Amino acid sequence: MSHAIRRIAAIAAVAGLTAVGVAGCSSAASDEDVTLSWWAPNLSPNLGDDQTYYEELVKPFTDETGIAVDIEVNAWGDYYNKILGAITSGEGGDVISTGTTWVSTLSDSGGFAQFGDAEFDAVGGRDQFVPSALAAAGGDRDGGPAMLPWVTGVTQMWYNPVLFAEAGITAPPATWEEFLAAAKALTKDTDGDGTIDQWGFGYPAGFAQEWAHTMFAFGEQNDAPFFTDDGTPNLDAEGMVAAAKQFTDLITVEKVLSPGTVEDTSFDKTVQNFVNGSIAITFGPGLNTNFGAAGFEDYAVAQIPLNSPLAGKPVTTHIAGVNLGLFADTPHRDQALQLLEYLSSTDVQVQLYDQFPGILPANAAAYDSDAVEKTEVFTVSADILKDTAAGYPISLYAAQAETVIGDAMKAIAAQAATSGAMSEEQIRSTLEAANSQMKASQ
C-alpha cells in the first residue's frame, strides 16, 4: 500500500493533475451522444440489488437529459486498490463514489477534480450540503474539495430490547463500565448444556476495516489519534495500546465476545447472530438496513458507550458515508457535473434514505424534510453525528493508517482467540511494528 500511495503522489506531481488542468476540459459531444461511466460501491448487502437500484435511480436523469449512465458497482473490499490503479494508469471512469475515510488520500493524489465556486454552482451550490458531511468530504481543502458528500453515516450501538428486559436491564449502557456489566449479564448458557449460546456482545473480529473504525474512535477517546499534530504516525501510542486491550479483553478476560468471531470478515454473521438472538449487543454502521432485509424488528439503537473517565475526546464513531467526485481526466466534465447535480438533489436524497434507512442524507433540505421519516434510528444517528462523530484525519496517509491498524488489530484478535489474554507488551509490540510500517512509507 505504501508504494502505491507513493506512486500516486509522484504521478500527480509529474503529470500536473490539478483542478486547474481539469477546469479546461469539456466535452464537445452533445448530451445524447454521451455515456458516463460511474464507479460506485455497494450500499446494500447484495451487489446485484445495488446494481438494479442504481440503474433505476439514474433512469429519470437519462430520460430528461439524454445522457446515458453506465454503472459499475464494486465490493468495498477490493474497491480501494482498484481506485489506486485507475489513478496511476489514468484509466478511470467519469464519476466516482468513494468512502469518506479515503477522502484525504484520494484528494491529495491529484486524480480527481476539485470543486471551486463554479463547480459548486453547477451542482446546486455549497449550501445544499449538511456542513458536517461536507467537512468530512474534504470541504475545507484549499481550492475546494475533490469530493462531495452523497450519503452520510455513523456507527451505532444496536441492542435487543427483549433480551435486555429478560436480563432486567432497563436502559442502554452509556459508559464502558455499564456496557461491560450489561454484556456480562447477557452472556448466558440458555439451554443448560454447559456452552454459552447467548453472547452479550457480537463483533466481526476478523474484519480489518471495522477494526480500523473502532480503533479510530477509541483511540480518540484514549487521547491517541492516528497522527500527532505534526503528522507523525501514532498507532503505537499508549492510548492506542489501551484501546486495543480494551477490546481484546472482551474475548479473553471479560468473556462476553465469542472467540469464533475472529473468523468473521464482514457483518454478515454478526447480523445473522443478532437476528437469531445469539448476541444481544453489537456495534455497526446502519445495521437496521440489514435487519429490515431479514424481516427483523426486535432491535433498538443508541450511541456507543464512552469511556469514563475520558482521557481524550468524546468520539464514538468516524463520520462515514459515500462521496461523489469526478475523475480528473474525464472527457465529459459538463455532463458529469449534471449527474452530480441530480444525485445531490433533495428528491434523490429522499429516495436514497427511503431505500437505505441506515444512512443520513447529505443534502440539508432532505435531512430536514418531512418526507424523511424521523425514526428512532434517524434521530439517534443525527444526534451522534452532531455530538460524538469525527472526521478521519486530513492526511495523505489516512487510508494507509486505516489499513495498517485494521490488519494489526485483526492479528491481535486472532492471537487472543487462540492463545488467551494478551498483555500490554504483546499488543504494544504488534502496534509498534504497524507504526514502523507507516513511518517507513513517509
Side-chain angles (χ1 to χ4, degrees), residues 240-302:
M240 197 67 75
V241 173
K245 192 169 193 312
Q246 184 174 351
F247 274 84
T248 54
D249 278 357
L250 297 178
I251 299 173
T252 59
V253 177
E254 310 297 348
K255 300 185 186 303
V256 296
L257 173 62
S258 169
T261 60
V262 297
E263 302 295 330
D264 299 341
T265 57
S266 73
F267 273 104
D268 292 348
K269 190 69 177 294
T270 304
V271 169
Q272 178 184 335
N273 287 338
F274 191 93
V275 168
N276 68 29
S278 59
I279 60 175
I281 306 171
T282 190
F283 303 160
L287 296 185
N288 57 314
T289 298
N290 306 68
F291 299 149
F296 180 72
E297 297 181 352
D298 286 333
Y299 65 84
V301 64

Side-chain angles (χ1 to χ4, degrees), residues 82-135:
K82 176 179 178 177
I83 297 170
L84 296 184
I87 296 170
T88 58
S89 68
E91 297 179 357
D94 299 298
V95 173
I96 187 168
S97 304
T98 72
T100 299
T101 60
W102 303 343
V103 163
S104 292
T105 300
L106 297 182
S107 295
D108 286 345
S109 73
F112 302 96
Q114 283 186 258
F115 288 82
D117 291 341
E119 289 76 19
F120 268 113
D121 287 346
V123 299
R126 182 187 296 266
D127 292 343
Q128 71 178 312
F129 299 105
V130 175
S132 58
L134 182 59

Side-chain angles (χ1 to χ4, degrees), residues 169 178-187 199-201 256 281:
I169 303 171
E178 291 174 357
F179 164 73
L180 287 178
K184 289 177 181 179
L186 291 159
T187 300
W199 293 90
F201 183 57
V256 296
I281 306 171

Side-chain angles (χ1 to χ4, degrees), residues 215 234-245 404-405 408-409 412 424-437:
M215 291 300 288
N234 195 42
L235 303 183
D236 60 350
E238 287 305 303
M240 197 67 75
V241 173
K245 192 169 193 312
V404 170
I405 191 65
M409 282 304 301
I412 289 170
E424 288 187 0
E425 289 72 20
Q426 289 173 303
I427 292 172
R428 185 178 294 106
S429 176
T430 300
L431 294 182
E432 285 175 347
N435 206 57
S436 294
Q437 179 182 345

Side-chain angles (χ1 to χ4, degrees), residues 205-216:
F207 191 5
Q209 187 178 51
E210 194 55 30
W211 269 126
H213 299 162
T214 298
M215 291 300 288
F216 168 74

